[in-house]
Amino acid sequence: MPFKPPEVAKCPVCDRPVYAAEERVSGGHKYHKTCFKCSICNKGLDSTNCSEHQKDLFCKQCHGRRYGPKGYGFGGGAGALSMDTGEHLGNVESASNSYHYPQLQKIAQAPPGQGCPRCGGRVYQAEEMLAMGKLWHKACFSCLLCQRRLDSTSRCDGSDGELYCTVCYNRKFGPKGYGYGQGAGALQMTLTDGSELDGDVMTNKPTVNLQASIQAPPGKGCPRCGGAVFEAEKKQSRFRDYHKTCFNCKECSRILDSTNACDGPDKDIYCKLCYSKKYGPKGYGFGCGAAFLQSDTIDSDAPAQEWSRMNTTTIKASPGQGCPRCGGAVFAAEMMLSKGREWHKSCFSCHDCKRPLDSTIACDGPDKDIYCKTDYGRRFGPKGFGFGHSPTLVSGSVDEQVPNSGMIQPSMGMKAAPGEGCPRCGFAVYAAEAIPVRDRSYHKKCFNCKECAKSMDSTNACNGPDLEIHCRTCYGRQFGPKGVGFGMGAGVLSMG
């Protein structure tokens, strides 16, 4: 049986056999490596930029020039977009053999009322667009007036069953008049006789309030127009649901939102300014003259009313449990605390100068009353040189003065029990001024050396065997070693 060599594919360019070591594949055909280039510009090709058309190789640019779309925007001048045969580039295909692109919408007509509303053709899933419950071709999904392509975010459904862009919709169905591109005419509105004013022309087209067209049961609709409020247009107040366009101030009709709406006691909504005018405090500093501060409604026709302050003693508390200043019951909204006692906010003031206080500047006195810092220092603080009195530093009371003299008798308040007070002065020592030594506590100003009265602190105080405190020098002199080298001359070193 004679030997038959295997068939070898031939290169479409040079019609010679192509072997595996030099082959390049494109479009199911094998080419030589040297023949694998563009048939127009002779540019070398590879698998990433090669385009094949009927065994002819092209780069992407030449393939687009010969077989791609022509016209404005495609390098073909300002002509209309078209598909030609490319005869000027060497394509000899006749017009009869050129590609034909059928108009599928006209070929596949749908039954009446079931096809595309624009062209009437059958709409398949790959090209469908949904609007107003109907299917549209993607190419037909455009504005009726300006032919602008639309999508689900930019379309407007017209009342005539057609699609419009936002500009054309507003021009055809939007409000007319001054500020709406219609000249200086009056804003279109409904007159009392049911006619409509459009510029200078009177028409009988009634204006329809779409929100109020569906009325709700009494007491359940929008408080402004009475229409039913649906979820897409709902704005909520504390008591009722409003339309978004009806959510405005009852007095000045200012548009509101959830951040600046105020719910009034009449279950209506107001802006902050109108709410303050109607329900806010009146009086000096609130646009009502120099009268006392009060909360009331000012009515020019109403008779003059007496200005009054709130009486905090209306509700009396149990003995020892109410406000220390007035004796009335103290509730949480007006409570101020001091040393475990509850005060009214209006009563929380200095006992002497009546200055209003707060928790940062109030001082609790030993008489269980409250003072400002100035009056507390004047009553219970130190007296003497540097404290507005004569040059002897003492601690005393303003009331305890020597007759016919500006001097103040020394006084520290109440004496402590024997062995419990300050070892220096004998008065009680409180935690804010206590310096403990062994089992006793000193006042900060009494913490000094017994011998030389030098002021000390916890780092340089020495506890003596006499149960007193001394500075280091006096401690060494009184209880330290004596003799040569210790300030006692050339005697023998001794302890005594």
Side-chain angles (χ1 to χ4, degrees), residues 118-147:
R118 186 67 56 84
C119 67
R122 189 181 300 275
V123 182
Y124 298 98
Q125 189 172 6
E127 56 179 352
E128 69 180 19
M129 297 290 287
L130 184 64
M132 294 184 290
K134 299 180 181 180
L135 297 177
W136 301 64
H137 291 116
K138 191 172 183 179
C140 298
F141 203 75
S142 59
C143 178
L144 179 66
L145 300 181
C146 64
Q147 306 303 321

Side-chain angles (χ1 to χ4, degrees), residues 8-282:
V8 180
K10 292 185 178 181
C11 176
V13 177
C14 62
D15 200 25
R16 293 181 181 179
V18 180
Y19 299 99
E22 56 179 353
E23 70 179 17
R24 292 288 186 273
V25 180
S26 177
H29 304 286
K30 295 182 179 181
Y31 297 82
H32 293 111
K33 185 176 181 180
T34 55
C35 298
F36 201 71
K37 57 186 178 181
C38 179
S39 59
I40 295 180
C41 64
N42 291 325
K43 176 183 177 181
L45 305 176
D46 55 29
S47 59
T48 62
N49 60 1
C50 173
S51 297
E52 185 267 343
H53 183 78
Q54 295 182 355
K55 297 185 180 182
D56 292 332
L57 298 177
F58 302 92
C59 63
K60 291 186 176 182
Q61 289 78 8
C62 294
H63 186 271
R65 291 194 189 101
R66 174 168 288 193
Y67 301 107
K70 313 296 186 297
Y72 181 74
F74 293 92
L81 181 62
S82 66
M83 294 290 290
D84 62 10
T85 58
E87 294 180 357
H88 61 288
L89 295 174
N91 193 349
V92 296
E93 295 183 23
S94 62
S96 60
N97 294 331
S98 61
Y99 291 100
H100 177 65
Y101 295 91
Q103 296 182 358
L104 298 179
Q105 294 90 338
K106 294 183 179 180
I107 293 176
Q109 288 293 318
Q114 299 182 10
C116 175
R118 186 67 56 84
C119 67
R122 189 181 300 275
V123 182
Y124 298 98
Q125 189 172 6
E127 56 179 352
E128 69 180 19
M129 297 290 287
L130 184 64
M132 294 184 290
K134 299 180 181 180
L135 297 177
W136 301 64
H137 291 116
K138 191 172 183 179
C140 298
F141 203 75
S142 59
C143 178
L144 179 66
L145 300 181
C146 64
Q147 306 303 321
R148 175 187 174 188
R149 289 295 180 92
L150 305 175
D151 55 29
S152 59
T153 62
S154 60
R155 82 167 199 272
C156 295
D157 302 326
S159 57
D160 55 355
E162 279 290 349
L163 300 178
Y164 299 89
C165 64
T166 305
V167 177
C168 295
Y169 182 87
N170 291 334
R171 187 178 294 118
K172 188 170 184 178
F173 301 103
K176 311 297 187 297
Y178 182 73
Y180 291 92
Q182 297 291 326
L187 183 62
Q188 181 176 351
M189 58 184 177
T190 301
L191 302 181
T192 55
D193 58 355
S195 60
E196 193 175 79
L197 183 61
D198 188 3
D200 297 330
V201 181
M202 294 293 294
T203 62
N204 292 323
K205 298 179 181 179
T207 301
V208 179
N209 188 351
L210 297 179
Q211 296 173 344
S213 59
I214 304 177
Q215 288 292 316
K220 294 185 178 180
C222 175
R224 292 282 185 269
C225 64
V229 182
F230 299 98
E231 194 67 30
E233 56 182 351
K234 181 189 295 185
K235 297 286 285 185
Q236 291 181 318
S237 71
R238 185 179 177 184
F239 306 102
R240 304 285 295 276
D241 293 336
Y242 292 75
H243 293 116
K244 187 175 182 180
T245 54
C246 297
F247 198 72
N248 51 33
C249 178
K250 181 182 179 181
E251 300 292 333
C252 64
S253 300
R254 175 186 177 186
I255 298 296
L256 304 175
D257 55 31
S258 59
T259 63
N260 58 5
C262 298
D263 298 293
D266 57 352
K267 297 186 178 180
D268 216 317
I269 53 174
Y270 302 86
C271 65
K272 293 184 177 180
L273 180 60
C274 294
Y275 182 88
S276 300
K277 289 179 180 177
K278 193 167 186 179
Y279 302 106
K282 312 298 186 297

